[in-house]
Amino acid sequence: MAEILSIASGKGGVGKSVISSNLALLLTKRGKRVILTDLDTGGANQHILFGVFHPTATLTDFLSNRYKSLNDIAQPVNGYQNLRLIPGTGETLRTANLQYAKKKRLIRHLKALDADIIIVDVGAGTHYHALDFFLLADRHLSIATPDPTSVLDLYRFIKLAAIRKVLTLFAARDPIANAMLDKEFHSISEVLEAVGQTNEQGIPAAQQALQDFHPYLILNRITHGSRINTLQLQSLLKQYVGTNLTLLGKIPDHESVAQSVHKYLPVVDLAPTSPAAIALEQIADNLLATF
């Protein structure tokens, strides 16, 4: 069974898709069969990063039932052995706003893909689709830059992901609790209190779900003047969400990354000795060490 890695961010423009494509390539170089899946349903761009401007099939073809199996649209990427790509969707309002049944079908087929590792590039933001795609994975990677708004959005994203994880678990156990999904919660303690009011027996399951939620952090575009207090961010998440946040690595801001995007090549392929590529190599090794 494949290990699923989800990669998300609280806001767009922090380099999430670039990091996803580079990690996918690095993991294939370490002997893994990798499928990179673009689940940014409103702005898919992974195929463009590899210079594929007109994919033969996309996620839209699966969602519209033109293809019955998600594996059928997982396409080899020219020049990269053991790497397949599922191009994303978003061309229509219907695919950008998935119905619940289609989302459940997509998740079911995603988990059945034939690979060693499945990387899921999740769309930015805190809508239900982004949270659910982030949570479907075995390992959850979050991306932020030193920009204060990026860090704040990341904190909000992980907090809401933890709340969503508890609520969906509890709703699955007790249909009466479905009404809780429409309530607004500001902390995990409020969620656990609401769980207890509905069904005290659900509290241990909710607490276990939180204990099993250990997101990882990758800091991108680090400069000499960058100031980001990762310990404070980790402390806040532990205090208010009850979640540990593990730093996988920091990627320095370097011109080679922008050059790689313009040339439609991963930076670890275009400039393997650049500071950004070396940092990505270390992150890939750190990630594999968690398996």
Side-chain angles (χ1 to χ4, degrees):
M1 183 177 295
E3 288 283 336
I4 302 179
L5 313 177
S6 59
I7 302 181
S9 60
K11 62 176 293 185
V14 299
K16 170 178 57 64
S17 295
V18 170
I19 291 173
S20 299
S21 59
N22 278 276
L23 285 181
L25 177 56
L26 288 172
L27 291 172
T28 64
K29 291 184 176 182
R30 285 154 174 77
K32 304 297 183 180
R33 296 177 302 129
V34 179
I35 295 179
L36 176 58
T37 307
D38 195 341
L39 289 191
D40 187 342
T41 55
N45 62 1
Q46 277 291 352
H47 55 289
I48 296 175
L49 293 177
F50 286 101
V52 181
F53 299 101
H54 302 289
T56 56
T58 71
L59 205 58
T60 300
D61 297 302
F62 172 77
L63 295 173
S64 60
N65 292 313
R66 285 195 286 271
Y67 285 83
K68 299 299 181 184
S69 171
L70 196 58
N71 199 63
D72 292 338
I73 63 172
Q75 306 159 29
V77 180
N78 289 337
Y80 301 108
Q81 189 177 8
N82 291 328
L83 176 60
R84 290 191 289 163
L85 172 67
I86 296 179
T89 183
E91 294 93 339
T92 68
L93 286 174
R94 178 171 293 181
T95 53
N97 298 277
L98 287 178
Q99 297 175 343
Y100 178 76
K102 288 184 178 293
K103 179 168 65 175
K104 295 296 288 185
R105 174 175 172 258
L106 172 57
I107 291 174
R108 186 173 67 253
H109 278 255
L110 184 70
K111 292 182 176 181
L113 285 170
D114 181 23
D116 297 320
I117 297 175
I118 299 166
I119 295 180
V120 178
D121 182 0
V122 179
T126 56
H127 52 84
Y128 279 170
H129 291 339
L131 295 174
D132 289 343
F133 291 150
F134 182 64
L135 291 171
L136 69 84
D138 302 297
R139 285 168 178 76
H140 314 93
L141 281 62
S142 55
I143 312 297
T145 66
D147 178 49
T149 60
S150 173
V151 176
L152 178 62
D153 286 337
L154 178 68
Y155 169 75
R156 183 183 298 115
F157 179 87
I158 294 178
K159 182 186 77 170
L160 291 176
I163 292 173
R164 177 71 171 171
K165 184 177 180 67
V166 172
L167 291 183
T168 52
L169 168 73
F170 190 63
R173 289 173 171 268
D174 188 347
I176 298 176
N178 277 319
M180 293 174 59
L181 294 175
D182 295 324
K183 294 183 179 180
E184 184 175 357
F185 298 98
H186 299 285
S187 69
I188 286 297
S189 60
E190 291 182 15
V191 176
L192 294 177
E193 181 180 354
V195 168
Q197 291 173 352
T198 306
N199 183 348
E200 288 187 3
Q201 295 180 348
I203 294 180
Q207 292 173 329
Q208 184 61 51
L210 288 173
Q211 291 175 8
D212 295 337
F213 183 46
H214 303 292
Y216 295 93
L217 171 64
I218 297 174
L219 294 174
N220 193 26
R221 297 176 186 158
I222 301 297
T223 65
H224 291 298
S226 297
R227 287 182 173 85
I228 177 169
N229 193 333
T230 55
L231 291 178
Q232 183 179 27
L233 177 60
Q234 290 167 322
S235 177
L236 281 173
L237 286 167
K238 183 64 176 179
Q239 181 178 356
Y240 293 104
V241 184
T243 296
N244 292 311
L245 183 69
T246 302
L247 180 64
L248 273 183
K250 301 179 181 181
I251 303 172
D253 191 20
H254 194 262
E255 60 185 7
S256 60
V257 177
Q259 292 170 356
S260 72
V261 172
H262 292 148
K263 294 186 177 181
Y264 310 112
L265 289 171
V267 69
V268 297
D269 195 14
L270 178 69
T273 60
S274 66
I278 292 172
L280 283 160
E281 292 269 6
Q282 185 61 59
I283 289 171
D285 289 335
N286 292 343
L287 182 60
L288 283 176
T290 68
F291 280 45

